[in-house]
Amino acid sequence: MKILVTGAGGQLGRELVLLQAPRNMEIVGFDRNGLDITDLEHCRRVIRTHKPDAVIHCAAYTKVDQAESEPDAAYLVNAYGARNAAVAVEEIGAKFIYISTDYVFDGKADKPYREYDRTDPQTVYGRSKLAGEQIVQSLCSRYFIVRTSWVYGKHGTNFVKTMMKLAGEQDRLTVVRDQIGSPTYALDLARFLLELVRTDYFGIWHASNSGFCSWYEFAKAIFEEKGLNVQIDSCTSSEFPRPASRPAYSVLDHGAIRMHGLIPLRPWREALRDFLRQLD
């Protein structure tokens, strides 16, 4: 099975490309220089040339705050880019995995969001990703939409790396306590995607490490696992305003994983512990 990964220079895409693929699977990756998803003909040319059995579409505009002031840039990548990739994939009859986000929900729930709960994004970023979902559903006959949350890993910028950097610069930090979600280790998500792509269980999926916490609890766990003595104070979201609002609650239910008998992603703290060992 040949897998083509878009956005291979990003956090998840790079993890996929560097992952030791299972037997009988080949993974090829393209960053933005090798595959411009905003150019339909370029997408067609690259995908026709390589003829993959499946495309894992990791390329995305993820600057949540910046998207508020440049919506066209967010939609160009997250919606029109997804359309271009989807058209090219459908033309060769391949499977398509679109990576989406917890931001498609409004964050007002009090229980984990199921795959088919009503979406109601509150930010430009969330709306652009939902537009991508809708385009993929309308254009592809063999698609997986995989929503995830709070992704971190070895590559790119993320919360864990930021906390570790700040711990070396400050002895006291303030982190929000009223945003709840599930941290997701990019390596675990990458492994799940390679398991999923071998199936024909098309549709919408939620994939994140098991369990949930606040950003404040996540930060505390990072420092506890590393044995760092950093004073952490908590604050509310209103005390730390951002251009784009963050979901107050974005825990994802993993119903599709349970119902299809796939292996659930491990508890978030166990995954975090493994990741931090990799940084030593």
Side-chain angles (χ1 to χ4, degrees), residues 99-117:
I99 307 300
S100 193
T101 172
D102 55 320
Y103 278 77
V104 300
F105 296 111
D106 61 14
K108 299 174 183 177
D110 57 6
K111 61 182 179 181
Y113 286 100
R114 299 180 69 89
E115 284 84 353
Y116 296 98
D117 282 346

mmCIF file with all atom_site columns, all heavy atoms in Angstrom, residues 99-117:
data_model
loop_
_atom_site.group_PDB
_atom_site.id
_atom_site.type_symbol
_atom_site.label_atom_id
_atom_site.label_alt_id
_atom_site.label_comp_id
_atom_site.label_asym_id
_atom_site.label_entity_id
_atom_site.label_seq_id
_atom_site.pdbx_PDB_ins_code
_atom_site.Cartn_x
_atom_site.Cartn_y
_atom_site.Cartn_z
_atom_site.occupancy
_atom_site.B_iso_or_equiv
_atom_site.pdbx_formal_charge
_atom_site.auth_seq_id
_atom_site.auth_comp_id
_atom_site.auth_asym_id
_atom_site.auth_atom_id
_atom_site.pdbx_PDB_model_num
ATOM 1   N N   . ILE A 1 99  ? -7.404  15.568 8.042  1.00 0.00 ? 99  ILE A N   1
ATOM 2   C CA  . ILE A 1 99  ? -7.194  15.815 9.470  1.00 0.00 ? 99  ILE A CA  1
ATOM 3   C C   . ILE A 1 99  ? -7.932  17.081 9.872  1.00 0.00 ? 99  ILE A C   1
ATOM 4   O O   . ILE A 1 99  ? -7.677  18.161 9.344  1.00 0.00 ? 99  ILE A O   1
ATOM 5   C CB  . ILE A 1 99  ? -5.687  15.951 9.799  1.00 0.00 ? 99  ILE A CB  1
ATOM 6   C CG1 . ILE A 1 99  ? -4.914  14.751 9.256  1.00 0.00 ? 99  ILE A CG1 1
ATOM 7   C CG2 . ILE A 1 99  ? -5.494  16.104 11.306 1.00 0.00 ? 99  ILE A CG2 1
ATOM 8   C CD1 . ILE A 1 99  ? -5.335  13.405 9.797  1.00 0.00 ? 99  ILE A CD1 1
ATOM 9   N N   . SER A 1 100 ? -8.851  16.933 10.820 1.00 0.00 ? 100 SER A N   1
ATOM 10  C CA  . SER A 1 100 ? -9.629  18.069 11.274 1.00 0.00 ? 100 SER A CA  1
ATOM 11  C C   . SER A 1 100 ? -9.388  18.313 12.773 1.00 0.00 ? 100 SER A C   1
ATOM 12  O O   . SER A 1 100 ? -8.398  17.828 13.329 1.00 0.00 ? 100 SER A O   1
ATOM 13  C CB  . SER A 1 100 ? -11.117 17.868 10.963 1.00 0.00 ? 100 SER A CB  1
ATOM 14  O OG  . SER A 1 100 ? -11.830 19.089 11.126 1.00 0.00 ? 100 SER A OG  1
ATOM 15  N N   . THR A 1 101 ? -10.268 19.029 13.418 1.00 0.00 ? 101 THR A N   1
ATOM 16  C CA  . THR A 1 101 ? -9.960  19.607 14.716 1.00 0.00 ? 101 THR A CA  1
ATOM 17  C C   . THR A 1 101 ? -11.168 19.703 15.642 1.00 0.00 ? 101 THR A C   1
ATOM 18  O O   . THR A 1 101 ? -12.321 19.743 15.171 1.00 0.00 ? 101 THR A O   1
ATOM 19  C CB  . THR A 1 101 ? -9.393  21.032 14.504 1.00 0.00 ? 101 THR A CB  1
ATOM 20  O OG1 . THR A 1 101 ? -9.252  21.700 15.754 1.00 0.00 ? 101 THR A OG1 1
ATOM 21  C CG2 . THR A 1 101 ? -10.328 21.872 13.635 1.00 0.00 ? 101 THR A CG2 1
ATOM 22  N N   . ASP A 1 102 ? -10.898 19.785 16.934 1.00 0.00 ? 102 ASP A N   1
ATOM 23  C CA  . ASP A 1 102 ? -11.942 20.020 17.932 1.00 0.00 ? 102 ASP A CA  1
ATOM 24  C C   . ASP A 1 102 ? -12.572 21.397 17.779 1.00 0.00 ? 102 ASP A C   1
ATOM 25  O O   . ASP A 1 102 ? -13.668 21.651 18.296 1.00 0.00 ? 102 ASP A O   1
ATOM 26  C CB  . ASP A 1 102 ? -11.366 19.857 19.341 1.00 0.00 ? 102 ASP A CB  1
ATOM 27  C CG  . ASP A 1 102 ? -10.156 20.750 19.598 1.00 0.00 ? 102 ASP A CG  1
ATOM 28  O OD1 . ASP A 1 102 ? -9.318  20.892 18.690 1.00 0.00 ? 102 ASP A OD1 1
ATOM 29  O OD2 . ASP A 1 102 ? -10.026 21.282 20.717 1.00 0.00 ? 102 ASP A OD2 1
ATOM 30  N N   . TYR A 1 103 ? -11.918 22.303 17.077 1.00 0.00 ? 103 TYR A N   1
ATOM 31  C CA  . TYR A 1 103 ? -12.444 23.668 16.897 1.00 0.00 ? 103 TYR A CA  1
ATOM 32  C C   . TYR A 1 103 ? -13.700 23.725 16.034 1.00 0.00 ? 103 TYR A C   1
ATOM 33  O O   . TYR A 1 103 ? -14.298 24.790 15.903 1.00 0.00 ? 103 TYR A O   1
ATOM 34  C CB  . TYR A 1 103 ? -11.372 24.563 16.277 1.00 0.00 ? 103 TYR A CB  1
ATOM 35  C CG  . TYR A 1 103 ? -10.379 25.123 17.258 1.00 0.00 ? 103 TYR A CG  1
ATOM 36  C CD1 . TYR A 1 103 ? -9.339  24.339 17.762 1.00 0.00 ? 103 TYR A CD1 1
ATOM 37  C CD2 . TYR A 1 103 ? -10.439 26.446 17.681 1.00 0.00 ? 103 TYR A CD2 1
ATOM 38  C CE1 . TYR A 1 103 ? -8.413  24.840 18.652 1.00 0.00 ? 103 TYR A CE1 1
ATOM 39  C CE2 . TYR A 1 103 ? -9.520  26.978 18.572 1.00 0.00 ? 103 TYR A CE2 1
ATOM 40  C CZ  . TYR A 1 103 ? -8.505  26.169 19.049 1.00 0.00 ? 103 TYR A CZ  1
ATOM 41  O OH  . TYR A 1 103 ? -7.578  26.676 19.935 1.00 0.00 ? 103 TYR A OH  1
ATOM 42  N N   . VAL A 1 104 ? -14.121 22.606 15.442 1.00 0.00 ? 104 VAL A N   1
ATOM 43  C CA  . VAL A 1 104 ? -15.381 22.625 14.682 1.00 0.00 ? 104 VAL A CA  1
ATOM 44  C C   . VAL A 1 104 ? -16.580 22.645 15.623 1.00 0.00 ? 104 VAL A C   1
ATOM 45  O O   . VAL A 1 104 ? -17.710 22.891 15.181 1.00 0.00 ? 104 VAL A O   1
ATOM 46  C CB  . VAL A 1 104 ? -15.498 21.421 13.714 1.00 0.00 ? 104 VAL A CB  1
ATOM 47  C CG1 . VAL A 1 104 ? -14.364 21.439 12.704 1.00 0.00 ? 104 VAL A CG1 1
ATOM 48  C CG2 . VAL A 1 104 ? -15.562 20.099 14.453 1.00 0.00 ? 104 VAL A CG2 1
ATOM 49  N N   . PHE A 1 105 ? -16.356 22.423 16.928 1.00 0.00 ? 105 PHE A N   1
ATOM 50  C CA  . PHE A 1 105 ? -17.431 22.477 17.917 1.00 0.00 ? 105 PHE A CA  1
ATOM 51  C C   . PHE A 1 105 ? -17.396 23.810 18.660 1.00 0.00 ? 105 PHE A C   1
ATOM 52  O O   . PHE A 1 105 ? -16.390 24.534 18.633 1.00 0.00 ? 105 PHE A O   1
ATOM 53  C CB  . PHE A 1 105 ? -17.310 21.320 18.898 1.00 0.00 ? 105 PHE A CB  1
ATOM 54  C CG  . PHE A 1 105 ? -17.484 19.964 18.257 1.00 0.00 ? 105 PHE A CG  1
ATOM 55  C CD1 . PHE A 1 105 ? -16.410 19.089 18.134 1.00 0.00 ? 105 PHE A CD1 1
ATOM 56  C CD2 . PHE A 1 105 ? -18.716 19.574 17.756 1.00 0.00 ? 105 PHE A CD2 1
ATOM 57  C CE1 . PHE A 1 105 ? -16.566 17.847 17.536 1.00 0.00 ? 105 PHE A CE1 1
ATOM 58  C CE2 . PHE A 1 105 ? -18.887 18.335 17.148 1.00 0.00 ? 105 PHE A CE2 1
ATOM 59  C CZ  . PHE A 1 105 ? -17.802 17.469 17.044 1.00 0.00 ? 105 PHE A CZ  1
ATOM 60  N N   . ASP A 1 106 ? -18.489 24.133 19.362 1.00 0.00 ? 106 ASP A N   1
ATOM 61  C CA  . ASP A 1 106 ? -18.567 25.438 20.026 1.00 0.00 ? 106 ASP A CA  1
ATOM 62  C C   . ASP A 1 106 ? -17.928 25.462 21.409 1.00 0.00 ? 106 ASP A C   1
ATOM 63  O O   . ASP A 1 106 ? -17.764 26.532 22.001 1.00 0.00 ? 106 ASP A O   1
ATOM 64  C CB  . ASP A 1 106 ? -20.019 25.918 20.115 1.00 0.00 ? 106 ASP A CB  1
ATOM 65  C CG  . ASP A 1 106 ? -20.927 24.996 20.923 1.00 0.00 ? 106 ASP A CG  1
ATOM 66  O OD1 . ASP A 1 106 ? -20.413 24.107 21.642 1.00 0.00 ? 106 ASP A OD1 1
ATOM 67  O OD2 . ASP A 1 106 ? -22.160 25.170 20.831 1.00 0.00 ? 106 ASP A OD2 1
ATOM 68  N N   . GLY A 1 107 ? -17.557 24.283 21.947 1.00 0.00 ? 107 GLY A N   1
ATOM 69  C CA  . GLY A 1 107 ? -16.888 24.253 23.240 1.00 0.00 ? 107 GLY A CA  1
ATOM 70  C C   . GLY A 1 107 ? -17.808 24.463 24.422 1.00 0.00 ? 107 GLY A C   1
ATOM 71  O O   . GLY A 1 107 ? -17.339 24.673 25.548 1.00 0.00 ? 107 GLY A O   1
ATOM 72  N N   . LYS A 1 108 ? -19.114 24.377 24.217 1.00 0.00 ? 108 LYS A N   1
ATOM 73  C CA  . LYS A 1 108 ? -20.071 24.629 25.297 1.00 0.00 ? 108 LYS A CA  1
ATOM 74  C C   . LYS A 1 108 ? -20.663 23.349 25.889 1.00 0.00 ? 108 LYS A C   1
ATOM 75  O O   . LYS A 1 108 ? -21.564 23.405 26.734 1.00 0.00 ? 108 LYS A O   1
ATOM 76  C CB  . LYS A 1 108 ? -21.206 25.524 24.779 1.00 0.00 ? 108 LYS A CB  1
ATOM 77  C CG  . LYS A 1 108 ? -20.725 26.886 24.301 1.00 0.00 ? 108 LYS A CG  1
ATOM 78  C CD  . LYS A 1 108 ? -21.845 27.702 23.668 1.00 0.00 ? 108 LYS A CD  1
ATOM 79  C CE  . LYS A 1 108 ? -21.310 29.030 23.130 1.00 0.00 ? 108 LYS A CE  1
ATOM 80  N NZ  . LYS A 1 108 ? -22.372 29.816 22.428 1.00 0.00 ? 108 LYS A NZ  1
ATOM 81  N N   . ALA A 1 109 ? -20.180 22.200 25.465 1.00 0.00 ? 109 ALA A N   1
ATOM 82  C CA  . ALA A 1 109 ? -20.723 20.925 25.936 1.00 0.00 ? 109 ALA A CA  1
ATOM 83  C C   . ALA A 1 109 ? -20.281 20.625 27.362 1.00 0.00 ? 109 ALA A C   1
ATOM 84  O O   . ALA A 1 109 ? -19.357 21.240 27.900 1.00 0.00 ? 109 ALA A O   1
ATOM 85  C CB  . ALA A 1 109 ? -20.288 19.796 25.003 1.00 0.00 ? 109 ALA A CB  1
ATOM 86  N N   . ASP A 1 110 ? -20.946 19.653 27.975 1.00 0.00 ? 110 ASP A N   1
ATOM 87  C CA  . ASP A 1 110 ? -20.539 19.180 29.302 1.00 0.00 ? 110 ASP A CA  1
ATOM 88  C C   . ASP A 1 110 ? -20.260 17.684 29.283 1.00 0.00 ? 110 ASP A C   1
ATOM 89  O O   . ASP A 1 110 ? -20.119 17.045 30.312 1.00 0.00 ? 110 ASP A O   1
ATOM 90  C CB  . ASP A 1 110 ? -21.603 19.514 30.356 1.00 0.00 ? 110 ASP A CB  1
ATOM 91  C CG  . ASP A 1 110 ? -22.972 18.940 30.011 1.00 0.00 ? 110 ASP A CG  1
ATOM 92  O OD1 . ASP A 1 110 ? -23.083 18.191 29.014 1.00 0.00 ? 110 ASP A OD1 1
ATOM 93  O OD2 . ASP A 1 110 ? -23.937 19.236 30.739 1.00 0.00 ? 110 ASP A OD2 1
ATOM 94  N N   . LYS A 1 111 ? -20.178 17.114 28.091 1.00 0.00 ? 111 LYS A N   1
ATOM 95  C CA  . LYS A 1 111 ? -19.783 15.714 27.907 1.00 0.00 ? 111 LYS A CA  1
ATOM 96  C C   . LYS A 1 111 ? -19.068 15.606 26.573 1.00 0.00 ? 111 LYS A C   1
ATOM 97  O O   . LYS A 1 111 ? -19.243 16.469 25.702 1.00 0.00 ? 111 LYS A O   1
ATOM 98  C CB  . LYS A 1 111 ? -20.996 14.783 27.970 1.00 0.00 ? 111 LYS A CB  1
ATOM 99  C CG  . LYS A 1 111 ? -22.042 15.057 26.905 1.00 0.00 ? 111 LYS A CG  1
ATOM 100 C CD  . LYS A 1 111 ? -23.240 14.125 27.074 1.00 0.00 ? 111 LYS A CD  1
ATOM 101 C CE  . LYS A 1 111 ? -24.299 14.425 25.995 1.00 0.00 ? 111 LYS A CE  1
ATOM 102 N NZ  . LYS A 1 111 ? -25.489 13.538 26.143 1.00 0.00 ? 111 LYS A NZ  1
ATOM 103 N N   . PRO A 1 112 ? -18.247 14.573 26.389 1.00 0.00 ? 112 PRO A N   1
ATOM 104 C CA  . PRO A 1 112 ? -17.442 14.472 25.165 1.00 0.00 ? 112 PRO A CA  1
ATOM 105 C C   . PRO A 1 112 ? -18.277 14.538 23.886 1.00 0.00 ? 112 PRO A C   1
ATOM 106 O O   . PRO A 1 112 ? -19.364 13.951 23.802 1.00 0.00 ? 112 PRO A O   1
ATOM 107 C CB  . PRO A 1 112 ? -16.745 13.119 25.316 1.00 0.00 ? 112 PRO A CB  1
ATOM 108 C CG  . PRO A 1 112 ? -16.638 12.938 26.800 1.00 0.00 ? 112 PRO A CG  1
ATOM 109 C CD  . PRO A 1 112 ? -17.918 13.504 27.353 1.00 0.00 ? 112 PRO A CD  1
ATOM 110 N N   . TYR A 1 113 ? -17.755 15.245 22.904 1.00 0.00 ? 113 TYR A N   1
ATOM 111 C CA  . TYR A 1 113 ? -18.438 15.380 21.618 1.00 0.00 ? 113 TYR A CA  1
ATOM 112 C C   . TYR A 1 113 ? -18.340 14.082 20.830 1.00 0.00 ? 113 TYR A C   1
ATOM 113 O O   . TYR A 1 113 ? -17.259 13.544 20.620 1.00 0.00 ? 113 TYR A O   1
ATOM 114 C CB  . TYR A 1 113 ? -17.797 16.503 20.801 1.00 0.00 ? 113 TYR A CB  1
ATOM 115 C CG  . TYR A 1 113 ? -18.128 17.901 21.280 1.00 0.00 ? 113 TYR A CG  1
ATOM 116 C CD1 . TYR A 1 113 ? -17.227 18.611 22.068 1.00 0.00 ? 113 TYR A CD1 1
ATOM 117 C CD2 . TYR A 1 113 ? -19.343 18.508 20.932 1.00 0.00 ? 113 TYR A CD2 1
ATOM 118 C CE1 . TYR A 1 113 ? -17.528 19.909 22.503 1.00 0.00 ? 113 TYR A CE1 1
ATOM 119 C CE2 . TYR A 1 113 ? -19.645 19.791 21.354 1.00 0.00 ? 113 TYR A CE2 1
ATOM 120 C CZ  . TYR A 1 113 ? -18.741 20.490 22.146 1.00 0.00 ? 113 TYR A CZ  1
ATOM 121 O OH  . TYR A 1 113 ? -19.036 21.760 22.573 1.00 0.00 ? 113 TYR A OH  1
ATOM 122 N N   . ARG A 1 114 ? -19.498 13.606 20.371 1.00 0.00 ? 114 ARG A N   1
ATOM 123 C CA  . ARG A 1 114 ? -19.526 12.429 19.510 1.00 0.00 ? 114 ARG A CA  1
ATOM 124 C C   . ARG A 1 114 ? -19.291 12.851 18.059 1.00 0.00 ? 114 ARG A C   1
ATOM 125 O O   . ARG A 1 114 ? -19.435 14.022 17.702 1.00 0.00 ? 114 ARG A O   1
ATOM 126 C CB  . ARG A 1 114 ? -20.866 11.702 19.646 1.00 0.00 ? 114 ARG A CB  1
ATOM 127 C CG  . ARG A 1 114 ? -21.127 11.198 21.063 1.00 0.00 ? 114 ARG A CG  1
ATOM 128 C CD  . ARG A 1 114 ? -22.453 10.474 21.167 1.00 0.00 ? 114 ARG A CD  1
ATOM 129 N NE  . ARG A 1 114 ? -22.432 9.216  20.455 1.00 0.00 ? 114 ARG A NE  1
ATOM 130 C CZ  . ARG A 1 114 ? -22.057 8.050  20.978 1.00 0.00 ? 114 ARG A CZ  1
ATOM 131 N NH1 . ARG A 1 114 ? -21.642 7.995  22.239 1.00 0.00 ? 114 ARG A NH1 1
ATOM 132 N NH2 . ARG A 1 114 ? -22.072 6.953  20.265 1.00 0.00 ? 114 ARG A NH2 1
ATOM 133 N N   . GLU A 1 115 ? -18.953 11.875 17.235 1.00 0.00 ? 115 GLU A N   1
ATOM 134 C CA  . GLU A 1 115 ? -18.572 12.173 15.857 1.00 0.00 ? 115 GLU A CA  1
ATOM 135 C C   . GLU A 1 115 ? -19.660 12.900 15.076 1.00 0.00 ? 115 GLU A C   1
ATOM 136 O O   . GLU A 1 115 ? -19.364 13.714 14.197 1.00 0.00 ? 115 GLU A O   1
ATOM 137 C CB  . GLU A 1 115 ? -18.196 10.883 15.119 1.00 0.00 ? 115 GLU A CB  1
ATOM 138 C CG  . GLU A 1 115 ? -16.827 10.327 15.475 1.00 0.00 ? 115 GLU A CG  1
ATOM 139 C CD  . GLU A 1 115 ? -16.808 9.463  16.730 1.00 0.00 ? 115 GLU A CD  1
ATOM 140 O OE1 . GLU A 1 115 ? -17.854 9.396  17.433 1.00 0.00 ? 115 GLU A OE1 1
ATOM 141 O OE2 . GLU A 1 115 ? -15.767 8.848  17.018 1.00 0.00 ? 115 GLU A OE2 1
ATOM 142 N N   . TYR A 1 116 ? -20.938 12.627 15.392 1.00 0.00 ? 116 TYR A N   1
ATOM 143 C CA  . TYR A 1 116 ? -22.019 13.222 14.599 1.00 0.00 ? 116 TYR A CA  1
ATOM 144 C C   . TYR A 1 116 ? -22.821 14.254 15.384 1.00 0.00 ? 116 TYR A C   1
ATOM 145 O O   . TYR A 1 116 ? -23.933 14.602 15.000 1.00 0.00 ? 116 TYR A O   1
ATOM 146 C CB  . TYR A 1 116 ? -22.908 12.111 14.024 1.00 0.00 ? 116 TYR A CB  1
ATOM 147 C CG  . TYR A 1 116 ? -22.120 11.254 13.050 1.00 0.00 ? 116 TYR A CG  1
ATOM 148 C CD1 . TYR A 1 116 ? -21.555 10.045 13.448 1.00 0.00 ? 116 TYR A CD1 1
ATOM 149 C CD2 . TYR A 1 116 ? -21.885 11.695 11.751 1.00 0.00 ? 116 TYR A CD2 1
ATOM 150 C CE1 . TYR A 1 116 ? -20.785 9.299  12.568 1.00 0.00 ? 116 TYR A CE1 1
ATOM 151 C CE2 . TYR A 1 116 ? -21.123 10.947 10.862 1.00 0.00 ? 116 TYR A CE2 1
ATOM 152 C CZ  . TYR A 1 116 ? -20.576 9.752  11.274 1.00 0.00 ? 116 TYR A CZ  1
ATOM 153 O OH  . TYR A 1 116 ? -19.809 9.014  10.401 1.00 0.00 ? 116 TYR A OH  1
ATOM 154 N N   . ASP A 1 117 ? -22.250 14.787 16.449 1.00 0.00 ? 117 ASP A N   1
ATOM 155 C CA  . ASP A 1 117 ? -22.868 15.911 17.139 1.00 0.00 ? 117 ASP A CA  1
ATOM 156 C C   . ASP A 1 117 ? -22.843 17.144 16.237 1.00 0.00 ? 117 ASP A C   1
ATOM 157 O O   . ASP A 1 117 ? -22.002 17.260 15.325 1.00 0.00 ? 117 ASP A O   1
ATOM 158 C CB  . ASP A 1 117 ? -22.127 16.215 18.447 1.00 0.00 ? 117 ASP A CB  1
ATOM 159 C CG  . ASP A 1 117 ? -22.483 15.248 19.566 1.00 0.00 ? 117 ASP A CG  1
ATOM 160 O OD1 . ASP A 1 117 ? -23.492 14.515 19.416 1.00 0.00 ? 117 ASP A OD1 1
ATOM 161 O OD2 . ASP A 1 117 ? -21.764 15.219 20.585 1.00 0.00 ? 117 ASP A OD2 1
#
